[in-house]
Amino acid sequence: MKKRILVIGSGGREHALAWKLAQSPQVEKIFTAPGNAGTAGVGENVAVSAADIPALVDFAKSNRIDFTVVGPDDALADGVVDAFLAAGLKIFGPCAAAARLESSKAFAKDFMKRHGIPTAGYREFTDPAAAKDYCRSAKYPLVVKADGLALGKGVVIAADFVEAERAIAACMEERAFGDAGSRIVVEEFLEGVECSIHALVDGNSYLLFPDCRDHKKIHDGDRGPNTGGMGTVCPSGSVDDALCARIEREILQPFLAGLEKDGLHFRGMLFPGLMLTADGPKVLEFNCRWGDPETQSLVRRLDSDLLSLLEATADGTLPSQKPVWKEGAAICVVLASGGYPGPVEKGKPIGGIAETSAMEGVVVFHAGTKESNGQILTNGGRVLGVTATGETPAAARTLAYAACARISFDGLQKRGDIGAPK
Ligand code: AMP
Ligand code: GLY
């Protein structure tokens, strides 16, 4: 029997997952809640918010959904997986207790410290005066992080005490991130290049995906404020076989052993953000979900059936899976609205998507888009992810930028150096 799949979320990541799942010979239909104009073209959008867990459970029950795939971190942290499992529904993602590895930085740091996983040295504070005292005599730069989920905006790299003090005040006194900032982590600044690792984890084993690099800053040359991610390249070009073995030995294997020791049940995608330092790879953060826009590049290289991989992860049978990856590289260039990562104006008509999507080797994933009277309009900060594959990162990059040049909307911002060698 063919399967009915529900994807939860509305970003580029969810369009990429829905697009890849739709290619599975096992799939009858894909629903996305709430989705975007891109997911509407892959299946059916459902007008249920990713935050409304009871309504998602009801939808899955009454529409005979066989398997659900969760995109966003906050749905995981709020227990969407626990609720589905309690209702006897199959779902991909970690339960809330394990998703705390992403939703609490202090919890993740403590986990890493206890299980010997390399990460930046840190202190944790719940009292702003104690945090300021510590920062007064600390070495700079240093990094101030809100403990909880803050849409990627809860991290400040402070050049001096004045900046650290301002970050502590914003987080803990002005409560810029609400409860997410009532506890903070202050950590050592790490130097190096960043790299995104993805590994499916089925509780007992992991399956490592190719490495990627995200480009988090809004402007070329890694300048300007942090964003959710302005583009990715897969592979990153920074991880050779020896480093890959080290990442498995020093990060993934202790991670699995730590889960077991702590009695944490983790089934889903583990996405550690790493800094590749002169002393080796160190974990900046654990994400307990697919990266956005890493997913857009990863699915373009995956040659195997994604549904089989995700079901094996949920079933605890991951060692049965041997995914095949296309040779070469994939690139995703994000097209963002004017003003992003600050407030943006929505509702701008987008031109050129159909022509661009017709280009050989190019797939355009939607993020913040919606359809209105047959016209696709911008509907968020990150609007589209233009992906291209090629035999080399350079070939993929040339094709991706040729594709981007055909798309237009008022205020469009993109980086010109996604996938350029580091
Ligand atoms: P996070 O959400 O913890 O991954 O932090 C967001 C971004 O801040 C990372 O992608 C890094 O660019 C930067 N960052 C976080 N922690 C550190 C650190 N300890 N040293 C240097 N940069 C950091
Ligand atoms: N691309 C970074 C993230 O998804 O957190």
Side-chain angles (χ1 to χ4, degrees):
M1 261 250 298
K2 292 220 179 192
K3 291 174 181 157
R4 294 159 69 80
I5 310 293
L6 172 64
V7 175
I8 298 176
S10 59
R13 164 183 53 205
E14 286 77 17
H15 185 196
L17 291 171
W19 173 85
K20 186 67 192 170
L21 287 166
Q23 294 167 15
S24 171
Q26 305 181 63
V27 167
E28 176 195 314
K29 184 164 181 185
I30 313 258
F31 298 87
T32 309
N36 58 36
T39 58
V42 171
E44 186 178 325
N45 285 351
V46 181
V48 175
S49 152
D52 192 346
I53 294 175
L56 291 167
V57 170
D58 281 350
F59 176 84
K61 274 193 188 159
S62 50
N63 288 274
R64 293 180 293 105
I65 296 296
D66 297 291
F67 191 61
T68 297
V69 179
V70 187
D73 50 13
D74 36 9
L76 293 168
D78 290 344
V80 69
V81 170
D82 310 64
F84 271 63
L85 293 177
L89 295 162
K90 269 185 81 171
I91 186 162
F92 173 87
C95 55
R100 262 189 95 201
L101 287 164
E102 174 167 3
S103 62
S104 167
K105 292 195 188 282
F107 180 73
K109 294 297 280 191
D110 181 57
F111 179 89
M112 288 188 264
K113 194 161 123 188
R114 284 185 296 105
H115 302 300
I117 298 172
T119 187
Y122 77 106
R123 292 277 302 268
E124 174 190 330
F125 297 96
T126 48
D127 171 25
K132 288 178 195 174
D133 266 355
Y134 171 79
C135 290
R136 202 165 276 121
S137 53
K139 251 180 55 189
Y140 285 86
L142 64 69
V143 188
V144 178
K145 297 186 176 184
D147 178 57
L149 297 175
L151 294 170
K153 293 175 185 155
V155 174
V156 171
I157 296 173
D160 54 31
F161 176 64
V162 176
E163 287 185 13
E165 194 180 25
R166 197 181 308 136
I168 293 165
C171 225
M172 305 182 88
E173 290 161 359
E174 293 144 30
R175 298 179 57 78
F177 312 112
D179 286 343
S182 56
R183 179 186 300 271
I184 63 165
V185 165
V186 177
E187 70 178 34
E188 168 202 6
F189 177 79
L190 297 176
E191 254 176 285
V193 291
E194 284 184 59
C195 166
S196 300
I197 298 297
H198 283 72
L200 290 172
V201 174
D202 74 351
N204 301 306
S205 59
Y206 64 83
L207 196 159
L208 184 59
F209 278 20
D211 59 289
C212 302
R213 166 159 300 117
D214 189 9
H215 298 67
K216 293 218 168 106
K217 297 274 170 25
I218 183 77
H219 298 307
D220 286 18
D222 295 331
R223 288 176 302 108
N226 261 337
T227 69
M230 291 300 289
T232 46
V233 56
C234 172
S236 71
S238 302
V239 181
D240 60 13
D241 289 349
L243 181 55
C244 186
R246 193 166 174 188
I247 290 168
E248 295 199 46
R249 200 170 57 241
E250 295 183 5
I251 295 166
L252 294 173
Q253 289 162 14
F255 178 84
L256 270 188
L259 291 182
E260 177 158 2
K261 277 187 206 141
D262 289 2
L264 276 180
H265 192 63
F266 190 112
R267 285 185 172 171
M269 179 61 90
L270 177 72
F271 153 28
L274 302 188
M275 188 69 88
L276 306 178
T277 73
D279 297 333
K282 297 196 179 182
V283 176
L284 291 175
E285 61 170 347
F286 283 128
N287 301 292
C288 300
R289 54 171 173 86
W290 294 72
D292 186 348
E294 284 86 344
T295 304
Q296 290 85 318
S297 289
L298 284 167
V299 297
R300 294 297 317 279
R301 287 200 54 208
L302 179 62
D303 229 356
S304 305
D305 182 25
L306 178 60
L307 182 60
S308 303
L309 282 173
L310 301 188
E311 285 193 309
T313 306
D315 292 342
T317 57
L318 206 42
S320 65
Q321 298 294 310
K322 302 274 177 284
V324 175
W325 298 93
K326 294 189 182 91
E327 292 293 325
I331 296 238
C332 172
V333 179
V334 170
L335 307 184
S337 294
Y340 180 73
V344 301
E345 272 180 43
K346 301 179 183 176
K348 313 279 186 197
I350 308 172
I353 297 179
E355 302 88 284
T356 311
S357 302
M359 289 169 74
E360 175 88 29
V362 172
V363 178
V364 179
F365 292 120
H366 291 233
T369 65
K370 70 170 187 199
E371 204 223 276
S372 173
N373 299 323
Q375 170 70 55
I376 309 283
L377 305 175
T378 66
N379 194 38
R382 293 188 293 177
V383 175
L384 297 170
V386 177
T387 65
T389 49
E391 282 179 15
T392 61
R397 193 164 71 243
T398 303
L399 182 58
Y401 278 107
C404 288
R406 300 190 183 192
I407 295 184
S408 57
F409 54 86
D410 191 28
L412 185 156
Q413 300 190 79
K414 65 173 183 292
R415 277 182 62 158
D417 61 349
I418 302 302
K422 280 268 172 188

